[in-house]
Amino acid sequence: MIEKFKSIWKHSWIYIFSQLSLSALGFLLLPLFSFYLSPAEFGTYSIILSVITILTIFLSIWINSSLTVTYFDNIKNKVNLTIHISSLFWFLIIWSIFILIITIWISEWFDLSSKYEINKYILLVLFISITSSINSFYWSLLRSRKKSIEYSVF
């Protein structure tokens, strides 16, 4: 029991330190962003980050929670665990490709690229959102495997 508590304590501090480091880095980079970006560019940057965050949530559709739950349910049965992890991963990839196709189709159908200057941002936002979803999947796997140092570095 004490060993379990020590393990939780150790991993918690590693997670807290990594999150605080990332927050501090973002705060320290804010003057640099405001120096190099005009208010209009910073607004565009903020909107793009908001869309990426929302799209990443939409792309992952509870896959990370499913991974965590099934990891502990199947921890003794490695074959089922491997099958489930690979199934979730491939579902994430196929779902991301589907969302990519739908987004491109909608932007062409509504002719958004000619009305607004979003043509150059659509593929960038989608690419970043898809890679963030895959990253989030990997982070959930690392958390489930109690690899807090790899989680913090990656």
Side-chain angles (χ1 to χ4, degrees):
M1 180 70 171
I2 301 264
E3 289 300 317
K4 205 176 225 185
F5 181 73
K6 284 181 182 179
S7 174
I8 291 171
W9 186 257
K10 175 187 148 196
H11 291 293
S12 297
W13 277 109
I14 292 172
Y15 291 135
I16 289 170
F17 178 73
S18 66
Q19 290 298 326
L20 286 175
S21 300
L22 283 174
S23 298
L25 183 66
F27 182 73
L28 293 174
L29 285 175
L30 190 59
L32 185 69
F33 284 146
S34 63
F35 179 75
Y36 284 108
L37 297 175
S38 70
E41 291 171 333
F42 193 75
T44 304
Y45 172 74
S46 298
I47 290 171
I48 288 173
L49 280 182
S50 299
V51 170
I52 287 171
T53 303
I54 292 168
L55 194 57
T56 301
I57 292 169
F58 185 68
L59 282 172
S60 62
I61 58 168
W62 300 103
I63 289 177
N64 301 332
S65 299
S66 174
L67 172 68
T68 305
V69 168
T70 56
Y71 184 85
F72 292 110
D73 287 346
N74 295 316
I75 199 161
K76 297 202 188 298
N77 189 348
K78 298 293 183 186
V79 174
N80 279 349
L81 183 63
T82 305
I83 290 170
H84 190 73
I85 289 172
S86 65
S87 297
L88 286 174
F89 178 75
W90 285 110
F91 177 77
L92 178 64
I93 297 296
I94 292 168
W95 179 247
S96 298
I97 292 170
F98 175 74
I99 295 296
L100 175 69
I101 291 168
I102 293 296
T103 306
I104 292 172
W105 178 70
I106 287 174
S107 68
E108 293 296 321
W109 191 54
F110 286 115
D111 200 24
L112 294 176
S113 57
S114 64
K115 292 180 184 174
Y116 307 103
E117 255 188 54
I118 64 168
N119 191 23
K120 59 184 174 183
Y121 298 121
I122 288 176
L123 290 178
L124 177 67
V125 165
L126 285 169
F127 177 75
I128 292 172
S129 297
I130 289 169
T131 54
S132 292
S133 297
I134 294 169
N135 231 5
S136 180
F137 182 82
Y138 182 65
W139 286 339
S140 294
L141 192 58
L142 287 177
R143 273 191 305 244
S144 298
R145 292 180 176 167
K146 297 180 182 175
K147 295 187 176 188
S148 54
I149 294 175
E150 290 90 345
Y151 172 86
S152 301
V153 172
F154 187 69

